[in-house]
Amino acid sequence: MTFFVLTVDTKGQTFNLKSSHVQIGDIYIPNPHIRFEFAKWTIVSESLEELDRIATFLIKHDSVMVEVRTHTDSRGSKQSSRRLDYKRSESVVAYLINKGVSPNQLIAKGYGDTEPIVTDEEIALMQTDQQKEEAHALNRRVDFKVIEILRL
């Protein structure tokens, strides 16, 4: 069996698990979000159903390789956030492999606070603590980026 790697990069768009076509650079943002126990890399049980759907998608689309990308908010030390972040992405990868996804389809990567949805500057301008907390929560997330598509 011969494989070649499709390496054309796109600007990337979001996709959903019903998508029949994805391209390199596309990102899946789970909804509901994947959550973890506070300050741990243990996935909370409420997130398992969404991870099961992701596993089903990746098994069906076994030519798709994704980067499991975890992100933190900007609070806390950079070093501990980065370590926790990477451990969380490893935890998601391990769960998906346990569900039958090929390890060759998954790469764990922790981005820490380097790719916020809402910047600290934007958060500082918010009026209420609730708005600020919701913005920090948006920054704490897991997403899945298509990085390769293998073709026969």
Side-chain angles (χ1 to χ4, degrees):
M1 192 179 314
T2 305
F3 290 94
F4 71 90
V5 178
L6 179 66
T7 57
V8 177
D9 202 346
T10 67
K11 291 184 180 184
Q13 301 178 39
T14 59
F15 68 94
N16 64 50
L17 297 180
K18 294 179 182 167
S19 296
S20 59
H21 179 72
V22 295
Q23 297 180 55
I24 293 173
D26 287 356
I27 295 177
Y28 175 66
I29 302 169
N31 189 10
H33 296 291
I34 307 304
R35 298 283 181 223
F36 302 89
E37 290 183 15
F38 180 74
K40 296 181 182 178
W41 51 87
T42 306
I43 302 165
V44 298
S45 60
E46 294 82 20
S47 295
L48 299 181
E49 188 175 325
E50 180 66 8
L51 283 173
D52 291 346
R53 285 192 288 272
I54 293 166
T56 298
F57 176 87
L58 290 170
I59 291 167
K60 180 178 178 185
H61 299 90
D62 61 354
S63 64
V64 174
M65 178 187 239
V66 297
E67 185 177 78
V68 177
R69 301 160 28 101
T70 53
H71 307 268
T72 62
D73 62 32
S74 61
R75 300 176 294 185
S77 81
K78 300 277 186 209
Q79 184 177 5
S80 64
S81 289
R82 275 300 186 97
R83 181 180 176 277
L84 177 63
D85 210 20
Y86 182 70
K87 288 290 197 181
R88 285 178 171 179
S89 79
E90 284 185 320
S91 180
V92 170
V93 165
Y95 182 86
L96 294 171
I97 290 170
N98 188 49
K99 288 296 184 172
V101 176
S102 169
N104 296 330
Q105 288 181 263
L106 303 164
I107 293 178
K109 183 114 185 221
Y111 281 85
D113 65 352
T114 62
E115 294 185 0
I117 292 174
V118 185
T119 67
D120 285 345
E121 293 78 14
E122 292 169 322
I123 292 171
L125 297 173
M126 293 179 176
Q127 300 297 315
T128 68
D129 288 342
Q130 181 179 349
Q131 289 172 323
K132 291 176 182 182
E133 186 54 44
E134 288 170 0
H136 283 295
L138 284 174
N139 290 337
R140 295 187 305 267
R141 66 195 187 280
V142 177
D143 58 43
F144 299 81
K145 183 176 184 177
V146 177
I147 57 171
E148 285 186 16
I149 301 174
L150 302 175
R151 300 279 188 223
L152 290 177

